[in-house]
């Protein structure tokens, strides 16, 4: 059973869209989305530097666009996706890509919503100097109380010995100086705010207003939610979870538990892949994984699909 996942903010690197532009139709789709959201995706995905694409309002649309472009090379139609993929999920902003791929949102609606999301979260992040840092190693029963003591939020519980803390710059500095017992390293992330915490509350109301008139369908492929790792079968519930998720923790550990329960045998992470495959290698032993980093990986991805998609369940259960 094949699972497809889309990465979250921090996965972007300068120029990561460049090789995809050589593929037929890609430039046209990016130009269409760029016009719709008033953001030059080609420029930011090819020529912009690391600081420019660290901007939340830029990074989030770029990541959803790259996820949709790369997935489209493997699954040309939504029928193909529904037939071949057993479950789909996205990490944080990647959930919007997963919503489009599973049929909850159109690609255009996903791009318009992610633009609104990115702008609203950037505005919320500007109120106070905040950020996020990954704690590598350590046991949750030790790490979580330590974060609470410092006033930090476990914004991403990623499993495999990784928890991402979020809070003010001062709180993160205190964490660096006073790591929880058993934590090997604290690594600052390439994000511009304390996402998935109370600091993002203003963005929730903006996104809630934005989804009011969006056309929504029920997922045609199992959609696994960051909120609690559950399979969500109603499109409107998916959208409401997308709204609330902005200010609530990402439980990727529970998503991976659900993949395991569903019987996953292979996992593909769409572009710019790598982070979620790394987590899956540790949490899902025996599962074949592939990170779709560039078009050079497409042939291997197609071979993996041919080997593992035969048992895809089709419509969401």
């Amino acid at each position: 059973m094949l699972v497809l996942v889309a990465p979250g903010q921090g996965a972007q690197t300068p120029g990561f869209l460049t090789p995809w532009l050589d593929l037929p139709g890609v430039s046209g789709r990016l130009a269409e989305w760029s016009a719709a959201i008033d953001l030059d995706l080609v420029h930011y995905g090819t020529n912009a530097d690391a600081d420019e694409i660290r901007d939340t309002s830029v990074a989030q649309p770029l990541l959803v666009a790259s996820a949709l472009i790369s997935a489209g090379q493997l699954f040309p139609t939504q029928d193909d996706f529904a037939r071949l993929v057993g479950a789909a999920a996205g990490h944080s902003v990647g959930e919007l890509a997963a919503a489009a791929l599973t049929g909850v949102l159109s690609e255009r609606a996903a791009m318009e919503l992610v633009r609104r999301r990115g702008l609203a979260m950037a505005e919320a992040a500007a109120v106070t100097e905040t950020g996020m840092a990954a704690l590598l190693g350590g046991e949750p029963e030790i790490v979580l109380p330590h974060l609470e003591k410092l006033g930090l939020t476990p914004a991403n519980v990623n499993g495999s010995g990784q928890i991402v803390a979020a809070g003010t710059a001062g709180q993160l500095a205190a964490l660096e100086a006073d790591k929880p017992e058993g934590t090997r390293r604290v690594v600052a992330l390439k994000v511009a705010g304390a996402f998935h915490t109370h600091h993002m509350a203003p963005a929730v109301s903006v996104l809630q207003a934005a989804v009011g008139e969006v056309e929504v369908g029920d997922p045609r492929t199992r959609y696994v939610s960051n909120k609690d790792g559950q399979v969500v079968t109603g499109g409107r519930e998916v959208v409401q979870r997308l709204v609330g998720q902005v200010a609530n923790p990402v439980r990727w550990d529970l998503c991976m538990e659900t993949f395991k329960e569903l019987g996953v045998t292979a996992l593909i992470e769409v572009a710019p892949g790598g982070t979620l495959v790394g987590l899956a290698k540790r949490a899902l032993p025996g599962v074949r994984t592939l990170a779709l980093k560039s078009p050079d990986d497409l042939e291997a991805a197609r071979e993996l699909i041919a080997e593992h998609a035969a048992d895809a369940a089709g419509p969401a259960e």
Side-chain angles (χ1 to χ4, degrees), residues 1-141:
M1 195 270 281
L2 175 68
V3 168
L4 186 132
V5 297
Q9 200 164 336
Q12 72 277 8
T13 55
F16 76 99
L17 274 184
T18 300
W20 298 96
L21 292 171
D22 294 332
L23 301 180
V26 170
S27 292
R29 290 175 75 191
L30 289 173
E32 180 184 337
W33 294 338
S34 295
I37 66 174
D38 192 26
L39 183 74
D40 189 342
L41 294 165
V42 172
H43 163 72
Y44 285 109
T46 58
N47 296 320
D49 63 24
D51 284 339
E52 289 178 280
I53 62 173
R54 182 173 177 267
D55 182 334
T56 303
S57 64
V58 171
Q60 293 191 10
L62 268 183
L63 288 165
V64 172
S66 66
L68 296 178
I69 289 292
S70 55
Q73 302 302 312
L74 300 174
F75 312 99
T77 70
Q78 205 164 81
D79 285 343
D80 292 326
F81 193 91
R83 178 172 55 87
L84 296 170
V85 178
H91 191 286
S92 187
V93 72
E95 284 206 300
L96 278 159
L101 293 169
T102 58
V104 175
L105 301 171
S106 69
E107 291 184 342
R108 170 78 173 256
M111 291 305 303
E112 290 174 345
L113 280 177
V114 75
R115 178 62 165 154
R116 294 290 298 276
R117 183 186 194 269
L119 287 166
M121 292 176 73
E123 186 174 342
V127 174
T128 306
E129 187 181 358
T130 59
M132 304 176 79
L135 290 84
L136 306 181
E139 298 298 325
E141 56 268 25

Side-chain angles (χ1 to χ4, degrees), residues 191-246:
V191 298
F195 305 142
H196 307 295
T197 73
H198 65 89
H199 293 284
M200 292 294 111
V204 173
S205 57
V206 172
L207 205 57
Q208 184 66 63
V211 301
E213 297 181 3
V214 173
E215 186 174 339
V216 174
D218 291 335
R220 299 182 60 200
T221 300
R222 295 184 190 95
Y223 177 97
V224 182
S225 170
N226 282 182
K227 180 178 180 179
D228 50 16
Q230 295 301 301
V231 175
V232 182
T233 58
R236 275 291 161 195
E237 184 181 351
V238 169
V239 169
Q240 286 306 309
R241 283 171 174 244
L242 288 173
V243 171
Q245 183 248 16
V246 168

Side-chain angles (χ1 to χ4, degrees), residues 273-295:
T275 301
L276 301 181
V277 158
L279 294 170
K281 284 180 176 178
R282 294 188 288 275
L284 301 170
V287 172
R288 291 277 304 282
T289 59
L290 186 143
L292 197 55
K293 298 182 183 224
S294 79

